Amino acid sequence: VLRNPSALPQRFGFLPQTAELEVQPGDGLGTILPGEQLHLTVSWLPSSDTRFSQALACRTTLNRTHTLKCVGRGMKPPLTLSATSFGLPATAEGDASEAELTLTNESGKPQDFEFAPPPGRGLAVEPLIGTLLPGAAVRVVITFTAPIRGATAPAQEDREEGEEDAEKAKGEGGAEAGAETAAADGEVGAGIEA
């Protein structure tokens, strides 16, 4: 939290920003109004699995310098993907396209993994869950199926047809027609006859 207790606006800047340190928002530069508080985030993006120590200075227009000591240790992730992003070709409605990645266990122990594709987006991942032995790798296939515009899910269509039948039953004879509709839909229950 950066706070300005003075009666004047102040410009500030966090320096030096290296490739490993990032201050957001505004790349660590900005103006803070009198009495204002800003919530800033200092992110550390280690480039290797070593210890890290650096002083980060915040300088203001009132010629003051406030120093933050940043200390951390980078860790090598046990599982790595062959690519951090991938592109899929343009896909026609109802068709599917695929991308392949490799997931590798770079640790000395078995590692569990699980992918969680967002629901309702047409994405499928195979394998979805598994365990990799030390040094082992597995091919991961990501499949995108483009939705067909205007199409609804089968469960939604069935629900809409059932609602239409119920509305029709109300207009064509009340409870007796409603019981016939329920039987036609495969529902179990007692019908009421007038």
Side-chain angles (χ1 to χ4, degrees):
V1 176
L2 186 63
R3 205 176 341 239
N4 182 5
S6 75
L8 298 171
Q10 292 187 56
R11 289 188 179 160
F12 65 88
F14 284 88
L15 302 168
Q17 287 196 32
T18 62
E20 289 90 9
L21 281 179
E22 179 180 276
V23 181
Q24 291 297 332
D27 292 325
L29 304 171
T31 302
I32 186 167
L33 299 175
E36 184 179 17
Q37 287 189 132
L38 293 177
H39 294 271
L40 300 172
T41 302
V42 178
S43 298
W44 178 50
L45 311 163
S47 57
S48 63
D49 57 346
T50 60
R51 293 193 184 278
F52 175 84
S53 180
Q54 181 179 345
L56 183 64
C58 177
R59 296 192 177 117
T60 70
T61 52
L62 295 179
N63 206 21
R64 292 193 176 153
T65 301
H66 306 278
T67 304
L68 297 169
K69 186 173 181 182
C70 301
V71 178
R73 179 163 192 248
M75 308 234 3
K76 186 174 184 178
L79 296 174
T80 59
L81 284 168
S82 58
T84 56
S85 65
F86 60 91
L88 293 169
T91 307
E93 292 179 3
D95 285 348
S97 58
E98 291 183 348
E100 291 185 12
L101 303 171
T102 302
L103 180 66
T104 306
N105 181 357
E106 296 188 0
S107 73
K109 307 188 268 189
Q111 296 290 330
D112 295 330
F113 69 89
E114 180 177 2
F115 292 100
R121 303 288 180 156
L123 288 173
V125 179
E126 188 64 37
L128 202 57
I129 190 170
T131 301
L132 279 177
L133 298 175
V138 66
R139 187 180 114 213
V140 178
V141 179
I142 296 123
T143 305
F144 171 69
T145 304
I148 298 173
R149 282 188 236 165
T152 57
Q156 178 67 23
E157 289 176 3
D158 293 344
R159 197 174 314 117
E160 289 172 0
E161 287 176 12
E163 290 171 3
E164 289 172 9
D165 290 343
E167 288 296 321
K168 189 187 280 186
K170 286 181 185 175
E172 294 178 359
E176 191 173 316
E180 290 171 8
T181 302
D185 287 344
E187 295 177 4
V188 178
I192 300 171
E193 293 185 20

